[in-house]
């Protein structure tokens, strides 16, 4: 009689190991747990900000650097892409049509103007400064829409280099973190009441968590207006991604017209859909939230899951930052970030004064 080895023993005999992404995903989970601990000890530090910083730190610590660049790289890259998409889908549950209508059309128009001015101005200036790859596009998106989440969404359709994505995320996160300390100091010198200050914060600060951390210093009325204005900016993520996907498809058709047939056949197969699936998911979640059928418990659970998913994704993106490689373009990237910060803060301040 022939004996069959138990499955576990057979795997051991064959040298079985966990799938390659498991190592990096496990490290991302550990990073999120650590970031959560930091946030609990220092509530002023948003979970997502802590996750990015810890990812960058892990990429440069002598003990962890080898793991991040080696066996954990596949899982960390997977976290930075796939988990980012899931987090963006759940982000749609934070926005409803009633919230947008409650702000009034003047405020909605102000937000549209601020986003357009920031995106176009930052993208144009980044090109003029000669920044590499998709950095101008990604930085413009992060500043104008919703920080690292928007950068992750746009990088999916533009097929951006991971280093460009990581650099852009690091810059936007740094500036958004500085806003938590700087903007509250400017409220009274600029003559802003609590509600006006909240709208200014919502129109000018990048990440949702950073908006909350900044606006709560002026009280609940400021916080409420800040979150609503910020979520209007988040809603613009879907049309922006659709426009960029259309642009990528158009470039593919233009190359084909130039006679690059063999290359274009592959590009045609890889071209993104007109509206990516995760953007449709974001819109579907927004529509679902607008029906008011979801309980507070479900919404709170989804909000927690969304933040944890984005934290894991941002840890993965942060781990791709290589600070020595930034020395060539670091000054130009920093200059672009400062200019974009001035543009969005100035445009949103003017918009708030006109609409209040």
């Amino acid at each position: 009689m022939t004996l069959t080895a138990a499955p576990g023993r057979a795997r051991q005999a064959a040298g079985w190991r966990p799938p390659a992404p498991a190592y990096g995903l496990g490290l991302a989970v550990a990073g999120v747990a650590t970031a959560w601990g930091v946030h609990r000890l220092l509530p002023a530090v948003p979970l997502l900000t802590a996750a990015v910083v810890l990812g960058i730190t892990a990429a440069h610590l002598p003990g962890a650097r080898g793991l991040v660049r080696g066996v954990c790289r596949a899982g960390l890259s997977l976290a930075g892409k796939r988990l980012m998409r899931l987090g963006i889908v759940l982000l749609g549950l934070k926005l409803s049509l009633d919230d947008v209508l409650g702000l009034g059309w003047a405020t909605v128009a102000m937000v549209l103007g601020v986003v357009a001015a920031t995106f176009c101005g930052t993208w144009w200036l980044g090109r003029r400064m000669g920044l590499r790859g998709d950095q101008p596009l990604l930085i413009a998106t992060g500043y104008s829409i919703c920080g690292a989440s928007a950068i992750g969404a746009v990088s999916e359709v533009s097929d951006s280099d991971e280093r460009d994505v990581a650099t852009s995320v690091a810059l936007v996160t740094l500036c958004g973190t500085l806003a938590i300390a700087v903007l509250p100091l400017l409220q009274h010198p600029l003559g802003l009441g609590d509600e006006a200050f909240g709208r200014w914060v919502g129109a000018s600060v990048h990440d949702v968590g950073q908006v909350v951390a900044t606006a709560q210093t002026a009280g609940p009325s400021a916080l409420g207006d800040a979150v609503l204005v910020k979520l209007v900016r988040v809603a613009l993520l879907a049309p922006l991604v659709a426009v960029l996907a259309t642009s990528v498809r158009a470039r593919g058709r233009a190359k084909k017209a130039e006679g690059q047939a063999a290359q274009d056949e592959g590009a045609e197969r890889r071209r993104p859909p007109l509206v990516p699936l995760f953007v449709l998911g974001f819109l579907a979640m927004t529509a679902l939230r607008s029906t008011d059928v979801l309980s507070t418990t479900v919404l709170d659970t989804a909000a927690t899951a969304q933040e944890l998913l984005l934290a894991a994704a941002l840890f993965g993106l942060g781990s791709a930052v290589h600070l020595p490689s930034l020395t060539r373009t670091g000054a130009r990237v920093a200059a672009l970030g400062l200019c974009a910060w001035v543009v969005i803060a100035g445009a949103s301040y003017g918009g708030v004064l006109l609409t209040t």
Side-chain angles (χ1 to χ4, degrees):
M1 181 175 67
T2 303
L3 296 177
T4 302
R9 293 179 180 177
R11 286 195 294 267
Q12 287 179 355
W16 179 86
R17 292 182 179 181
Y23 299 102
L25 291 174
L27 182 59
V29 170
V32 171
T34 306
W36 181 84
V38 171
H39 175 62
R40 294 283 293 179
L41 291 173
L42 302 170
V45 179
L47 173 64
L48 302 187
T49 299
V52 174
V53 173
L54 287 171
I56 296 173
T57 302
H60 296 84
L61 282 177
R65 183 171 52 202
L67 291 174
V68 169
R69 298 180 186 175
V71 68
C72 293
R73 187 69 259 154
L76 291 171
S77 296
L78 181 66
K81 293 181 179 180
R82 303 296 181 181
L83 298 187
M84 177 69 76
R85 294 179 185 177
L86 292 175
I88 290 170
V89 169
L90 292 180
L91 190 61
L93 288 175
K94 290 189 173 182
L95 182 69
S96 72
L97 185 58
D98 290 339
D99 293 334
V100 177
L101 296 177
L103 282 174
W105 292 112
T107 299
V108 173
M110 179 270 289
V111 173
L112 289 171
V114 169
V115 168
T118 304
F119 179 85
C120 296
T122 303
W123 182 82
W124 176 83
L125 184 59
R127 287 297 185 195
R128 295 284 294 178
M129 294 172 67
L131 293 185
R132 53 164 283 172
D134 287 333
Q135 285 181 358
L137 172 65
L138 298 174
I139 293 171
T141 302
Y143 271 84
S144 60
I145 303 292
C146 55
S149 303
I151 291 173
V154 167
S155 67
E156 291 293 322
V157 298
S158 60
D159 196 24
S160 302
D161 182 81
E162 188 177 31
R163 291 171 298 176
D164 291 343
V165 177
T167 300
S168 303
V169 166
L171 176 67
V172 171
T173 301
L174 173 62
C175 290
T177 303
L178 292 175
I180 297 173
V182 173
L183 266 59
L185 299 177
L186 299 177
Q187 177 184 356
H188 296 299
L190 293 177
L192 295 173
D194 290 347
E195 292 184 359
F197 175 72
R199 295 191 177 201
W200 183 46
V201 170
S204 61
V205 179
H206 318 316
D207 182 80
V208 176
Q210 294 164 346
V211 166
V212 172
T214 307
Q216 57 85 28
T217 60
S221 61
L223 179 58
D225 276 22
V227 171
L228 287 179
V229 170
K230 177 60 187 177
L231 291 179
V232 174
R233 288 170 62 195
V234 172
L236 298 177
L237 178 63
L240 176 63
V241 171
V243 168
L244 291 174
T246 303
S247 176
V248 170
R249 292 163 67 95
R251 286 201 301 267
R253 288 193 296 267
K255 288 181 181 179
K256 188 173 182 179
E258 292 172 1
Q260 301 177 2
Q263 181 179 352
D264 293 325
E265 287 179 4
E268 196 71 18
R269 287 192 298 267
R270 294 190 304 268
R271 70 183 184 181
L274 187 58
V275 181
L277 185 61
F278 69 90
V279 175
L280 292 176
F282 172 89
L283 295 174
M285 292 300 101
T286 300
L288 181 61
R289 171 64 186 272
S290 301
T291 63
D292 291 327
V293 299
L294 299 178
S295 67
T296 302
T297 302
V298 171
L299 291 175
D300 290 343
T301 302
T304 301
Q306 174 255 324
E307 192 166 21
L308 292 176
L309 286 168
L310 289 182
L314 292 178
F315 181 88
L317 289 175
S319 70
V321 175
H322 187 227
L323 295 178
S325 68
L326 299 181
T327 55
R328 294 188 300 273
T329 60
R332 284 177 289 164
V333 169
L336 177 61
L338 179 60
C339 291
W341 202 9
V342 171
V343 169
I344 193 169
S348 57
Y349 177 65
V352 168
L353 292 182
L354 290 173
T355 55
T356 56

